[in-house]
Amino acid sequence: MPDNRSSHAPRIAIVGAGIGGLCLAACLRRIGVRADVFEQAPRFARIGAGIMLAPNAVNILNAIGVREHLEPTSVTLTTLQNRAWDSGEPMFDLELGAAAEQRYGAPFLLAHRGDLHAALLRVVPPEAIHPGRELVGICPLDDRVELRFADGSAGSFDAVIGADGVHSVVRRSLFTTSPPSFTGRIAYRAVFDSALLADRGLAPEVGPSTKWWGPDRHIVIYYVSGGAEVYFTTSVPDDTWTTESWSAEGSMDELRAEFEGFHPQVQAVLAACPRVNKWALYDRDPLPGWSTGRVALLGDAAHPMTPFMAQGAATSMEDAAVLSRCLGEAGPENFATAFAWYESVRQQRTARIQAISRSNTWLRERTDPSEVYGYDAWSVPFGDSAGLESSLT
Ligand SMILES: Cc1cc2nc3c(=O)[nH]c(=O)nc-3n(C[C@H](O)[C@H](O)[C@H](O)COP(=O)(O)OP(=O)(O)OC[C@H]3O[C@@H](n4cnc5c(N)ncnc54)[C@H](O)[C@@H]3O)c2cc1C
């Protein structure tokens, strides 16, 4: 790839066209800054998973024009229900719906992950996205950053943002990390046709999401795709499977055995489900820093977290919004300042969310979620620590 950096328009590379990378490209477009997005996958597949999009995420999707593309296929969450695993006794119900929209300025949406990704792709011009480009090397220099890709191509950029996910090459190459610790737990997940539930006479309301809390495991079940599909994800103890992967297949028989004795509604969902994937759950400590000169990390690359709080994608979107604001304020050539502001605004909040996610206690009992759902990435102050504190209290 030729070095076609121009003295006028800075060349910015985003590594990874996942949720955070695409969101950042869209946020940068909002301030008139173009970025090239390099993605290792040769094409985008529809990964069978649901995603909870709390108001702090939907506020960002709204501002970049994604919500309108997503809403026709998503479900507006009415109630986050928490139930005892066997009796189904209510533990805590968080009412959302119109009340959440009024309080936080956006609804809480439940979506198919593929629909979210497709909606993000609609607001980033195709010519800015480069699939089939796996980053294998990064070399920051005083006046630029050199990137090398697995296909033999290379590029030179004024700044690089590593949005390359939980196994980030950018993080591994340039930042201090401690090794991940395997939690000894597995997240099984599946999306399937909700007609299969109706066939079993099970037709609960589409609006709520229910987390069934067992003594050492849980399952979360909700509808996506406007109610046409149902999704569940679990956490179960299992120290024999250690692969963090979106594509690994699990056994339905093993999964059903894991949830024997759970409420009949849970068992009916598992009985109807034709196939399942599994993902080994790892825990990682917050990084001591995630920006240096012309390079910064974003999303799972910066603050990978267990999925128990459903805030991984949301915090990557918050990163994108705040980073775009920092670049806009510092001036697009002033990367070191912008990245330092970005890191200082985001680090404390994301470390706190990592810690709450790790404990898997979020919303199990009566909780005011305003600290998380009410965060407004478009107005949180940066560049002054007082503003940072006030954003977290
Ligand atoms: C089971 C499960 C359920 C979850 N549920 C929720 C939820 O309900 N709500 C929520 O907010 N979060 C949820 N999360 C977390 C959420 O999926 C992640 O936090 C989110 O995807 C992070 O976005 P990202 O852009 O940082 O990474 P990703 O979306 O993973 O994107 C990273 C991208 O980088 C690409 N890439 C990687 N390496 C390279 C390379 N070397 N070169 C080029 N490209 C590369 C990848 O192919 C990928 O496209 C869940 C996670 C799991 C595992």
Side-chain angles (χ1 to χ4, degrees):
M1 184 191 295
D3 176 357
N4 53 354
R5 289 175 305 134
S6 118
S7 55
H8 303 295
R11 283 213 70 201
I12 299 180
I14 299 170
V15 184
I19 292 169
L22 288 179
C23 193
L24 177 62
C27 290
L28 288 175
R29 274 175 63 75
R30 198 168 172 256
I31 57 163
V33 174
R34 188 204 137 111
D36 284 291
V37 190
F38 296 93
E39 166 58 43
Q40 65 179 2
R43 68 196 68 80
F44 297 113
R46 186 175 165 87
I47 291 171
I51 194 149
M52 289 187 146
L53 297 166
N56 53 316
V58 177
N59 261 319
I60 294 160
L61 296 176
N62 210 9
I64 57 176
V66 170
R67 178 176 162 191
E68 65 195 79
H69 298 305
L70 186 62
E71 226 156 18
T73 55
S74 60
V75 168
T76 302
L77 177 63
T78 53
T79 319
L80 260 169
Q81 299 178 334
N82 292 278
R83 297 283 180 264
W85 64 287
D86 49 354
S87 64
E89 193 179 323
M91 296 161 69
F92 171 51
D93 281 354
L94 178 68
E95 296 300 334
L96 290 155
E101 183 148 12
Q102 205 168 15
R103 185 161 188 199
Y104 303 121
F108 194 131
L109 300 180
L110 306 172
H112 192 295
R113 200 185 163 90
D115 291 338
L116 171 62
H117 199 257
L120 283 163
L121 282 171
R122 289 183 69 169
V123 299
V124 180
E127 61 275 17
I129 302 175
H130 309 280
R133 304 290 288 279
E134 180 190 353
L135 182 82
V136 290
I138 176 165
C139 178
L141 302 168
D142 281 349
D143 63 342
R144 64 192 189 282
V145 185
E146 307 279 3
L147 297 184
R148 275 188 305 108
F149 298 94
D151 63 0
S153 63
S156 181
F157 295 89
D158 296 301
V160 173
I161 294 99
D164 48 345
V166 73
H167 302 296
S168 171
V169 169
V170 180
R171 180 180 69 218
R172 213 169 48 227
S173 307
L174 301 181
F175 297 89
T176 309
T177 54
S178 46
S181 55
F182 176 47
T183 59
R185 309 188 72 81
I186 293 212
Y188 285 96
R189 67 178 164 80
V191 176
F192 63 96
D193 188 342
S194 49
L196 295 173
L197 280 187
D199 291 350
R200 293 175 176 269
L202 200 71
E205 289 171 81
V206 168
S209 154
T210 309
K211 186 165 181 175
W212 302 84
W213 295 82
D216 66 348
R217 65 199 63 204
H218 71 246
I219 180 166
V220 181
I221 305 171
Y222 56 85
Y223 282 86
V224 295
S225 312
E229 292 181 295
V230 63
Y231 170 69
F232 66 79
T233 181
T234 73
S235 166
V236 297
D238 181 338
D239 53 16
T240 60
W241 173 260
T242 55
T243 309
E244 254 177 331
S245 147
W246 286 112
S247 56
E249 290 259 352
S251 149
M252 274 315 304
D253 287 342
E254 281 173 27
L255 174 58
R256 287 176 191 132
E258 297 283 7
F259 284 88
E260 249 171 45
F262 267 64
H263 191 274
Q265 218 172 313
V266 173
Q267 303 218 36
V269 169
L270 295 182
C273 175
R275 52 175 293 276
V276 73
N277 289 93
K278 60 182 185 176
W279 169 290
L281 291 166
Y282 282 77
D283 199 13
R284 294 171 173 86
D285 289 329
L287 263 60
W290 68 56
S291 76
T292 170
R294 295 172 176 271
V295 182
L297 299 176
L298 176 146
D300 278 2
H303 41 73
M305 56 184 73
T306 55
F308 305 145
M309 210 176 151
Q311 278 289 317
T315 48
S316 75
M317 293 178 204
E318 290 178 356
D319 287 351
V322 171
L323 179 51
S324 70
R325 287 178 56 217
C326 292
L327 279 168
E329 190 72 19
E333 303 279 359
N334 210 348
F335 299 107
T337 303
F339 289 168
W341 281 345
Y342 156 68
E343 183 184 310
S344 82
V345 173
R346 298 293 302 147
Q347 206 169 26
Q348 193 178 335
R349 175 173 169 85
T350 53
R352 176 156 163 70
I353 292 177
Q354 277 177 292
I356 304 173
S357 296
R358 171 183 285 173
S359 70
N360 191 19
T361 51
W362 179 244
L363 300 178
R364 189 173 56 189
E365 286 149 16
R366 181 161 297 284
T367 310
D368 177 359
S370 304
E371 175 194 7
V372 177
Y373 299 167
Y375 180 86
D376 183 359
W378 298 115
S379 66
V380 62
F382 51 85
D384 89 81
S385 58
L388 173 61
E389 272 154 31
S390 68
S391 78
L392 288 164
T393 52

